[in-house]
Amino acid sequence: MKVQDIMTTPVFSVAPSTPIGEAAQLMLAHHISGLPVVDASGTLVGVVTEGDFLLRSELGTERKRSPWLQFFLSAGKAADEYVHTHGRRVEDVMTRDVVATTRGATLENVVEMMGRRHIKRLPVVEDGKLVGIIARSDLLKALAQRLTSEPTDAGGDDAVRKAIIAELGRQFWSSNGLVRVEVEGGNVTLSGTIFDERERLAACVVAENAAGVKSVEDQLVCVEPISGVIIMPPPKDPDAQS
Protein backbone atom coordinates (compact mmCIF):
# COMPACT_ATOMS: atom_id res chain seq x y z
CA MET A 1 0.00 0.00 0.00
CA LYS A 2 1.29 3.44 -0.94
CA VAL A 3 0.90 6.92 0.54
CA GLN A 4 -1.37 7.97 -2.33
CA ASP A 5 -3.85 5.24 -1.37
CA ILE A 6 -4.67 6.69 2.05
CA MET A 7 -3.40 10.30 2.21
CA THR A 8 -5.79 13.16 2.94
CA THR A 9 -6.42 15.63 0.13
CA PRO A 10 -7.20 18.47 -0.25
CA VAL A 11 -5.30 19.75 2.78
CA PHE A 12 -6.02 22.58 5.17
CA SER A 13 -2.98 24.85 5.10
CA VAL A 14 -1.92 28.35 6.11
CA ALA A 15 0.43 30.99 4.76
CA PRO A 16 3.54 32.17 6.62
CA SER A 17 1.82 35.51 7.27
CA THR A 18 -1.30 33.95 8.80
CA PRO A 19 -1.90 35.19 12.38
CA ILE A 20 -1.25 32.38 14.84
CA GLY A 21 -4.64 32.97 16.45
CA GLU A 22 -6.28 32.23 13.10
CA ALA A 23 -4.17 29.09 12.64
CA ALA A 24 -5.10 27.89 16.13
CA GLN A 25 -8.81 28.46 15.41
CA LEU A 26 -8.52 26.50 12.16
CA MET A 27 -6.91 23.58 13.96
CA LEU A 28 -9.61 23.59 16.64
CA ALA A 29 -12.47 23.87 14.14
CA HIS A 30 -11.29 20.88 12.10
CA HIS A 31 -9.92 18.76 14.97
CA ILE A 32 -6.39 18.61 13.59
CA SER A 33 -3.13 19.03 15.48
CA GLY A 34 -0.96 20.47 12.73
CA LEU A 35 -1.02 22.50 9.52
CA PRO A 36 1.33 22.66 6.54
CA VAL A 37 2.57 26.16 5.72
CA VAL A 38 2.72 27.07 2.02
CA ASP A 39 3.77 30.22 0.22
CA ALA A 40 1.88 32.00 -2.57
CA SER A 41 3.14 29.50 -5.17
CA GLY A 42 1.94 26.48 -3.18
CA THR A 43 5.44 25.46 -2.15
CA LEU A 44 5.75 23.83 1.26
CA VAL A 45 7.84 26.06 3.54
CA GLY A 46 7.05 24.79 7.01
CA VAL A 47 4.70 23.06 9.44
CA VAL A 48 2.95 24.51 12.49
CA THR A 49 1.66 22.19 15.21
CA GLU A 50 0.09 22.32 18.66
CA GLY A 51 3.57 22.00 20.13
CA ASP A 52 4.57 25.33 18.58
CA PHE A 53 1.91 27.08 20.68
CA LEU A 54 2.91 25.65 24.06
CA LEU A 55 5.63 28.15 25.06
CA ARG A 56 3.74 31.45 24.83
CA SER A 57 3.85 34.68 26.79
CA GLU A 58 0.03 34.89 26.71
CA LEU A 59 -0.14 31.67 28.72
CA GLY A 60 2.79 32.50 30.98
CA THR A 61 4.49 29.32 29.79
CA GLU A 62 7.55 30.80 28.10
CA ARG A 63 10.87 29.35 29.24
CA LYS A 64 12.26 31.12 32.32
CA ARG A 65 15.93 30.84 33.21
CA SER A 66 17.86 31.84 36.27
CA PRO A 67 20.27 34.80 35.81
CA TRP A 68 23.34 32.55 35.89
CA LEU A 69 21.92 30.35 33.09
CA GLN A 70 21.06 33.43 31.04
CA PHE A 71 24.74 34.39 31.24
CA PHE A 72 25.59 31.37 29.08
CA LEU A 73 22.78 32.03 26.57
CA SER A 74 23.80 33.81 23.39
CA ALA A 75 21.98 36.97 22.40
CA GLY A 76 20.92 35.33 19.14
CA LYS A 77 19.40 32.32 20.91
CA ALA A 78 17.56 34.59 23.35
CA ALA A 79 16.21 36.68 20.48
CA ASP A 80 15.04 33.57 18.64
CA GLU A 81 13.20 32.33 21.72
CA TYR A 82 11.56 35.73 22.19
CA VAL A 83 10.19 35.63 18.64
CA HIS A 84 8.79 32.15 19.23
CA THR A 85 7.04 33.10 22.46
CA HIS A 86 5.81 36.56 21.40
CA GLY A 87 5.52 36.39 17.59
CA ARG A 88 2.10 36.95 16.04
CA ARG A 89 2.48 35.18 12.69
CA VAL A 90 2.79 31.53 11.76
CA GLU A 91 6.26 32.12 10.28
CA ASP A 92 7.45 33.21 13.73
CA VAL A 93 6.70 29.84 15.35
CA MET A 94 6.60 27.24 12.56
CA THR A 95 9.11 24.45 12.02
CA ARG A 96 11.08 25.14 8.85
CA ASP A 97 13.01 21.87 8.66
CA VAL A 98 10.10 19.87 7.29
CA VAL A 99 10.14 16.11 6.91
CA ALA A 100 7.96 15.23 3.91
CA THR A 101 7.11 12.21 1.80
CA THR A 102 5.87 11.45 -1.71
CA ARG A 103 2.79 9.84 -3.25
CA GLY A 104 4.68 6.67 -4.13
CA ALA A 105 6.32 6.08 -0.75
CA THR A 106 5.37 2.90 1.10
CA LEU A 107 3.50 2.96 4.40
CA GLU A 108 6.44 1.08 5.92
CA ASN A 109 8.67 4.03 5.04
CA VAL A 110 6.16 6.52 6.45
CA VAL A 111 5.82 4.68 9.77
CA GLU A 112 9.61 4.40 10.05
CA MET A 113 10.03 8.15 9.53
CA MET A 114 7.25 9.02 11.98
CA GLY A 115 8.82 6.84 14.63
CA ARG A 116 12.39 8.01 14.05
CA ARG A 117 11.49 11.71 14.00
CA HIS A 118 8.73 11.50 16.65
CA ILE A 119 6.16 13.20 14.43
CA LYS A 120 2.45 12.57 13.86
CA ARG A 121 2.05 13.63 10.22
CA LEU A 122 3.98 13.99 6.99
CA PRO A 123 3.18 16.46 4.20
CA VAL A 124 3.05 14.83 0.77
CA VAL A 125 4.86 16.84 -1.88
CA GLU A 126 5.30 16.64 -5.63
CA ASP A 127 7.86 18.93 -7.30
CA GLY A 128 8.00 20.88 -4.03
CA LYS A 129 4.26 21.55 -4.04
CA LEU A 130 1.93 20.33 -1.31
CA VAL A 131 -0.47 17.68 -2.69
CA GLY A 132 -1.67 15.96 0.49
CA ILE A 133 -0.88 14.93 4.02
CA ILE A 134 -0.63 11.57 5.73
CA ALA A 135 -1.19 11.37 9.49
CA ARG A 136 -1.42 8.66 12.09
CA SER A 137 -5.21 8.92 11.80
CA ASP A 138 -4.99 8.00 8.10
CA LEU A 139 -3.01 4.89 9.00
CA LEU A 140 -5.61 4.03 11.65
CA LYS A 141 -8.45 4.40 9.13
CA ALA A 142 -6.64 2.16 6.65
CA LEU A 143 -6.09 -0.47 9.35
CA ALA A 144 -9.73 -0.38 10.44
CA GLN A 145 -10.89 -0.76 6.86
CA ARG A 146 -8.63 -3.73 6.21
CA LEU A 147 -9.68 -5.47 9.42
CA THR A 148 -13.39 -5.09 8.70
CA SER A 149 -13.35 -5.89 4.99
CA GLU A 150 -11.25 -9.05 4.82
CA PRO A 151 -12.83 -11.89 2.79
CA THR A 152 -14.46 -14.72 4.75
CA ASP A 153 -14.41 -17.29 1.95
CA ALA A 154 -10.96 -18.88 1.94
CA GLY A 155 -11.76 -21.78 -0.39
CA GLY A 156 -12.48 -24.52 2.16
CA ASP A 157 -10.82 -26.13 5.16
CA ASP A 158 -7.80 -27.42 3.24
CA ALA A 159 -7.04 -23.94 1.92
CA VAL A 160 -7.35 -22.49 5.43
CA ARG A 161 -5.01 -25.16 6.82
CA LYS A 162 -2.43 -24.54 4.11
CA ALA A 163 -2.57 -20.78 4.67
CA ILE A 164 -1.96 -21.17 8.42
CA ILE A 165 0.89 -23.65 7.91
CA ALA A 166 2.48 -21.34 5.33
CA GLU A 167 2.36 -18.36 7.68
CA LEU A 168 3.79 -20.39 10.56
CA GLY A 169 6.57 -21.53 8.27
CA ARG A 170 7.51 -17.92 7.54
CA GLN A 171 7.95 -17.08 11.23
CA PHE A 172 11.25 -17.47 13.08
CA TRP A 173 9.52 -18.34 16.35
CA SER A 174 7.32 -21.18 15.01
CA SER A 175 9.44 -24.10 16.36
CA ASN A 176 10.37 -25.58 12.99
CA GLY A 177 7.00 -27.09 12.15
CA LEU A 178 6.19 -28.69 15.54
CA VAL A 179 2.79 -26.96 15.58
CA ARG A 180 0.12 -29.15 13.97
CA VAL A 181 -2.94 -27.61 12.35
CA GLU A 182 -6.34 -29.22 11.84
CA VAL A 183 -9.35 -27.44 10.34
CA GLU A 184 -12.94 -28.62 10.27
CA GLY A 185 -15.79 -26.38 9.21
CA GLY A 186 -13.59 -23.32 9.68
CA ASN A 187 -12.77 -24.34 13.28
CA VAL A 188 -9.02 -24.60 13.83
CA THR A 189 -7.29 -26.85 16.34
CA LEU A 190 -3.63 -26.20 17.12
CA SER A 191 -1.67 -29.04 18.72
CA GLY A 192 1.93 -30.13 19.04
CA THR A 193 4.86 -28.77 21.03
CA ILE A 194 6.24 -25.30 21.63
CA PHE A 195 9.31 -24.35 23.65
CA ASP A 196 8.38 -20.85 24.78
CA GLU A 197 4.98 -20.04 26.28
CA ARG A 198 4.87 -16.80 24.28
CA GLU A 199 4.67 -18.87 21.09
CA ARG A 200 1.21 -20.04 22.16
CA LEU A 201 -0.50 -16.70 21.66
CA ALA A 202 1.51 -16.00 18.51
CA ALA A 203 0.36 -19.27 16.93
CA CYS A 204 -3.25 -18.53 17.86
CA VAL A 205 -2.95 -15.08 16.30
CA VAL A 206 -1.68 -16.66 13.06
CA ALA A 207 -4.74 -18.90 12.96
CA GLU A 208 -7.16 -16.10 13.84
CA ASN A 209 -5.82 -13.97 10.99
CA ALA A 210 -6.44 -16.62 8.34
CA ALA A 211 -9.47 -15.85 6.17
CA GLY A 212 -12.40 -18.18 6.81
CA VAL A 213 -11.48 -19.09 10.40
CA LYS A 214 -14.45 -19.23 12.80
CA SER A 215 -12.73 -20.35 15.99
CA VAL A 216 -9.34 -21.45 17.31
CA GLU A 217 -8.79 -24.18 19.89
CA ASP A 218 -5.42 -24.23 21.66
CA GLN A 219 -4.12 -27.74 22.46
CA LEU A 220 -0.44 -26.80 22.35
CA VAL A 221 1.89 -28.23 24.99
CA CYS A 222 4.82 -26.07 26.08
CA VAL A 223 8.06 -27.80 27.15
CA GLU A 224 10.57 -25.55 28.91
CA PRO A 225 13.83 -26.60 27.19
CA ILE A 226 16.16 -26.14 30.20
CA SER A 227 14.10 -27.41 33.12
CA GLY A 228 11.85 -29.78 31.17
CA VAL A 229 8.77 -28.33 32.85
CA ILE A 230 5.62 -29.07 30.85
CA ILE A 231 2.87 -26.46 30.57
CA MET A 232 -0.43 -27.84 29.36
CA PRO A 233 -2.89 -25.87 27.22
CA PRO A 234 -5.48 -23.76 29.03
CA PRO A 235 -8.75 -25.52 29.88
CA LYS A 236 -11.63 -25.07 27.47
CA ASP A 237 -14.09 -22.31 28.25
CA PRO A 238 -17.44 -23.33 26.74
CA ASP A 239 -18.61 -19.72 26.76
CA ALA A 240 -15.48 -18.25 25.16
CA GLN A 241 -15.77 -16.76 21.70
CA SER A 242 -12.73 -17.00 19.43
Side-chain angles (χ1 to χ4, degrees):
M1 189 176 292
K2 305 290 186 182
V3 167
Q4 62 190 5
D5 298 323
I6 68 170
M7 70 180 189
T8 297
T9 185
V11 186
F12 291 107
S13 62
V14 291
S17 60
T18 301
I20 63 170
E22 184 179 320
Q25 290 291 346
L26 183 62
M27 291 162 65
L28 290 169
H30 296 284
H31 307 286
I32 51 181
S33 59
L35 290 167
V37 184
V38 297
D39 63 16
S41 69
T43 301
L44 180 70
V45 295
V47 171
V48 63
T49 70
E50 292 171 332
D52 295 315
F53 298 149
L54 296 182
L55 302 178
R56 291 293 303 182
S57 60
E58 297 88 348
L59 301 175
T61 55
E62 69 270 37
R63 185 176 286 108
K64 300 176 177 66
R65 294 185 174 88
S66 63
W68 74 272
L69 282 177
Q70 288 181 347
F71 177 79
F72 295 99
L73 186 68
S74 70
K77 175 66 173 176
D80 184 61
E81 289 186 356
Y82 186 86
V83 170
H84 199 96
T85 57
H86 292 75
R88 311 294 291 183
R89 297 179 300 275
V90 165
E91 62 187 343
D92 297 328
V93 301
M94 71 182 188
T95 298
R96 298 176 185 273
D97 180 20
V98 182
V99 181
T101 188
T102 62
R103 294 176 186 268
T106 64
L107 299 190
E108 179 183 11
N109 179 255
V110 165
V111 170
E112 191 276 331
M113 281 198 291
M114 285 181 173
R116 177 162 43 87
R117 299 294 292 263
H118 305 289
I119 51 181
K120 298 179 180 179
R121 69 199 61 76
L122 289 171
V124 184
V125 298
E126 188 173 277
D127 298 326
K129 309 295 184 183
L130 179 70
V131 296
I133 195 163
I134 182 168
R136 291 180 181 179
S137 58
D138 295 309
L139 294 164
L140 184 60
K141 290 175 187 175
L143 173 62
Q145 184 176 17
R146 290 293 293 270
L147 289 174
T148 56
S149 63
E150 290 178 332
T152 57
D153 183 8
D157 289 345
D158 188 55
V160 171
R161 179 176 175 276
K162 288 179 179 177
I164 295 172
I165 291 174
E167 179 63 16
L168 286 170
R170 285 189 286 267
Q171 303 308 315
F172 169 74
W173 48 262
S174 64
S175 300
N176 298 317
L178 296 182
V179 176
R180 295 190 294 272
V181 181
E182 298 177 10
V183 185
E184 184 175 349
N187 301 301
V188 178
T189 301
L190 300 176
S191 60
T193 306
I194 55 177
F195 299 100
D196 188 313
E197 183 64 12
R198 291 168 293 187
E199 296 174 16
R200 182 186 305 280
L201 179 57
C204 289
V205 167
V206 168
E208 290 166 351
N209 277 327
V213 171
K214 298 176 181 178
S215 68
V216 178
E217 182 179 342
D218 173 13
Q219 293 185 3
L220 294 165
V221 175
C222 180
V223 178
E224 211 289 320
I226 297 178
S227 65
V229 171
I230 297 175
I231 304 174
M232 300 302 292
K236 281 187 180 181
D237 181 353
D239 299 322
Q241 299 294 322
S242 298

